[in-house]
């Protein structure tokens, strides 16, 4: 019977006659069947991915190669925005725009060349004077050391030891090898300056044509927004230069008064140097501006150089925390904290150039985006103005006084600590009596 049952089950599970048994699952790692084909979209996706990677690599390489040029163009654009009002004013009175731009640039270059020539002649004269009087300074220092420390130093011995020292020999060798590097940096700086001036000249002279070309590829609504953004950028850049000019004037006057009191020579030129360099050279402008007055004050009296250093440090703190936030927030119309943060961000992104153009760029962006922000009337809640209402304070004090008067005094118990007998459940008072009767 067992064999018969097994035969019946095998007959039920057997495939029909004339059909092949189903193939089992393919073994792991075996090749696909002859009918399997690659999807049609896979080759195109692979080619597209490779093309995108190649384009990204090429764009990244080109951006790194053109970073210097892009920074120069950015500086030239803001310089063109700065001289835009003067050029537009002269062009509005019948003068050709290119010739008006040339006159503005010529005036700026003449003023800069005159200032550099004056400072160069002054610095050269002071260096010659310091070299001639250096032996006298050295003798005075040696006499002071001999008198206070009971030594027997002589200037001749010090000069011979200095000339024969290895430090001086190594310094001369390093300076000789670094002359080529300095020359290359100077030539590179001159080339960048010419590039900036050329781009800024074209931006200022062909400003209307540039705006027309940019607006020609935009719909009318976008054209109005671009023109408004351009006008805002001109106003904010001019406001920034105006604030920097005011701070340069205040700084120059303050340092001129100090130098005149100390009777330092060339006080007017030094004051102009401090005012311009400290305001228009970011990050290191303050140190460059204060070094030259200290050097010349040292030729008069070494203690005067110390006084100049102390004054420069104190004035710098006054300018950073009092003068600059006030003027910048009014002329550029941004919060002092935003101005300070924008300078830090610009320095981190573009270095000294970013620090110089960060404030007008942020002011332009803030003014442009402000037209799209909907504002509402502020409520009259006293907390908006930074103070609490009197009603809430008086209500709190009243509740505290009530709680204090209801506090039981020590030593009082039973009915004396309340105004009347308290009632409990069932009408029984705290003294053990009931309403209308006695115990």
């Amino acid at each position: 019977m067992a064999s018969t049952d097994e035969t019946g089950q095998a007959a039920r599970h057997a495939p029909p006659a004339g059909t092949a048994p189903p193939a089992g699952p393919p073994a792991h790692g075996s090749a696909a069947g002859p009918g399997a084909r690659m999807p049609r979209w896979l080759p195109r996706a692979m080619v597209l991915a490779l093309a995108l990677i190649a384009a990204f690599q090429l764009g990244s390489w080109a951006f790194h190669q053109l970073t210097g040029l892009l920074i120069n163009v950015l500086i030239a654009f803001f310089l063109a925005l700065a001289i835009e009002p003067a050029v537009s004013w002269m062009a509005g009175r019948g003068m050709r725009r290119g010739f008006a731009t040339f006159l503005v640039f010529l005036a700026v270059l003449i003023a800069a060349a005159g200032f550099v020539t004056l400072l160069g002649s002054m610095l050269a004269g002071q260096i010659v004077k310091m070299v001639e009087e250096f032996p006298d300074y050295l003798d005075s220092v040696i006499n002071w050391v001999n008198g206070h420390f009971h030594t027997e130093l002589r200037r001749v011995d010090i000069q011979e030891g200095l000339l024969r020292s290895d430090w001086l020999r190594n310094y001369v060798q390093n300076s000789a090898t670094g002359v080529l590097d300095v020359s290359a940096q100077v030539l590179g700086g001159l080339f960048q300056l010419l590039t900036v001036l050329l781009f800024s000249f074209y931006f200022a002279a062909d400003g209307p044509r540039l705006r027309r070309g940019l607006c020609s590829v935009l719909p009318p609504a976008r054209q109005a927004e671009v023109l408004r953004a351009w006008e805002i950028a001109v106003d904010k850049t001019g406001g920034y230069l105006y604030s920097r000019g005011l701070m340069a004037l205040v700084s120059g006057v303050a340092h001129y008064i100090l130098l005149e009191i100390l009777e330092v020579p060339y006080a007017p030129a030094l004051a102009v140097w401090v005012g311009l360099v400290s305001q228009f050279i970011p990050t290191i402008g303050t140190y460059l501006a204060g070094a030259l007055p200290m050097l010349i004050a040292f030729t008069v009296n070494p203690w005067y150089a110390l006084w100049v250093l102390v004054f420069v440090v104190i004035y710098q703190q006054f300018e950073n925390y009092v003068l600059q936030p006030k003027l910048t927030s009014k002329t550029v119309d941004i919060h002092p904290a935003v101005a300070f943060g924008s300078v830090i961000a610009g320095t981190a992104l573009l270095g000294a150039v970013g620090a110089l153009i960060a404030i007008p760029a942020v002011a332009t962006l803030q003014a442009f985006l402000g037209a799209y922000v909907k504002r509402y009337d502020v409520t009259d809640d006293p907390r908006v103005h930074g103070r609490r209402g009197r009603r809430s304070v008086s209500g709190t004090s009243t509740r505290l006084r009530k709680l204090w008067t209801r506090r039981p005094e020590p030593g009082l118990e039973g009915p004396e600590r309340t105004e009347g007998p308290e009632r409990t459940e069932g009408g029984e008072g705290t003294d053990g009596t009931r309403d209308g009767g006695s115990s």
Side-chain angles (χ1 to χ4, degrees):
M1 292 297 295
S3 59
T4 305
D5 294 339
E6 292 177 357
T7 304
Q9 293 179 359
R12 285 196 301 268
H13 291 287
T19 60
H28 180 69
S30 61
R37 299 177 59 185
M38 181 184 297
R40 295 181 178 180
W41 55 268
L42 185 58
R44 288 179 292 181
M46 295 176 63
V47 172
L48 180 60
L50 293 177
L52 290 177
I53 294 175
F56 176 77
Q57 294 292 336
L58 180 62
S60 178
W61 173 81
F63 178 78
H64 286 293
Q65 295 296 324
L66 299 176
T67 300
L69 178 62
L70 295 177
I71 292 177
N72 292 334
V73 171
L74 186 62
I75 297 174
F77 178 72
F78 277 93
L79 183 59
L81 292 179
I83 65 174
E84 176 79 16
V87 174
S88 299
W89 181 82
M90 297 173 69
R93 279 153 179 78
M95 189 178 297
R96 295 183 58 183
R97 191 173 182 90
F99 185 67
T101 306
F102 172 76
L103 291 180
V104 173
F105 267 90
L106 183 62
V108 173
L109 291 177
I110 290 175
F115 178 70
V116 171
T117 303
L118 177 61
L119 287 177
S121 61
M122 177 193 66
L123 184 60
Q126 293 300 316
I127 290 176
V128 171
K129 182 180 178 181
M130 288 184 62
V131 171
E132 292 177 351
E133 297 180 355
F134 181 76
D136 297 334
Y137 291 139
L138 186 58
D139 288 338
S140 63
V141 173
I142 290 174
N143 294 331
W144 183 84
V145 172
N146 290 334
H148 287 77
F149 297 97
H150 305 287
T151 58
E152 296 181 358
L153 298 176
R154 294 186 305 171
R155 177 161 58 89
V156 178
D157 298 336
I158 295 177
Q159 290 177 352
E160 291 180 356
L162 182 63
L163 292 175
R164 296 177 181 177
S165 62
D166 296 335
W167 173 82
L168 183 61
R169 188 182 302 109
N170 295 331
Y171 178 77
V172 172
Q173 292 177 357
N174 294 331
S175 300
T177 56
V179 169
L180 295 177
D181 297 336
V182 173
S183 302
Q185 292 179 1
V186 170
L187 292 177
L190 291 177
F191 180 76
Q192 290 183 357
L193 179 62
L194 292 177
T195 303
V196 170
L197 292 178
L198 183 63
F199 274 108
S200 59
F201 179 84
Y202 283 120
F203 284 153
D206 293 340
R209 184 185 304 176
L210 180 61
R211 289 191 287 268
R212 288 195 300 268
L214 183 61
C215 293
S216 62
V217 297
L218 298 174
R222 298 298 181 184
Q223 293 179 13
E225 294 179 359
V226 169
L227 294 176
R228 181 174 58 183
W230 195 289
E231 184 178 0
I232 290 174
V234 171
D235 294 338
K236 296 304 179 181
T237 305
Y240 173 70
L241 294 178
Y242 173 70
S243 63
R244 286 292 174 180
L246 283 180
M247 287 190 292
L249 178 62
V250 174
S251 177
V253 171
H255 288 82
Y256 172 74
I257 294 174
L258 173 69
L259 296 176
E260 281 292 333
I261 293 175
L262 298 178
E263 297 182 355
V264 177
Y266 304 103
L270 288 175
V272 175
W273 162 268
V274 172
L276 293 179
V277 174
S278 63
Q279 302 303 324
F280 292 99
I281 297 182
T283 309
I284 62 174
T286 302
Y287 307 102
L288 293 178
L292 185 59
M294 288 175 54
L295 181 64
I296 297 179
F298 185 83
T299 61
V300 179
N301 191 336
W303 289 104
Y304 288 175
L306 180 61
W307 283 110
V308 173
L309 175 62
V310 172
F311 182 82
V312 168
V313 172
I314 294 176
Y315 180 82
Q316 186 65 28
Q317 302 305 316
F318 167 76
E319 182 182 281
N320 291 338
Y321 295 101
V322 178
L323 186 62
Q324 181 175 352
K326 296 292 183 182
L327 293 179
T328 304
S329 61
K330 290 182 180 180
T331 55
V332 193
D333 195 21
I334 60 177
H335 194 273
V338 177
F340 182 70
S342 63
V343 170
I344 295 178
T347 305
L349 292 176
L350 298 177
V353 176
L356 186 62
I357 66 176
I359 294 180
V362 171
T364 302
L365 182 62
Q366 178 180 343
F368 183 71
L369 295 179
Y372 299 96
V373 178
K374 186 176 181 180
R375 299 183 180 274
Y376 302 91
D377 294 334
V378 181
T379 180
D380 294 333
D381 196 320
R383 290 171 293 183
V384 176
H385 305 285
R387 60 177 184 271
R388 294 177 59 87
R390 295 182 176 180
R391 181 178 301 176
S392 60
V393 175
S394 61
T396 303
S397 61
T398 303
R399 287 193 297 268
L400 290 176
R401 284 197 300 268
K402 288 182 179 180
L403 291 174
W404 180 260
T405 54
R406 292 178 59 184
R407 183 180 178 181
E409 299 180 2
L412 295 180
E413 298 179 355
E416 294 183 359
R417 61 181 180 181
T418 58
E419 298 180 357
E422 297 180 359
R423 301 298 178 183
T424 59
E425 294 183 0
E428 183 177 359
T430 56
D431 53 354
T433 60
R434 290 181 177 271
D435 293 340
S438 59
S439 54

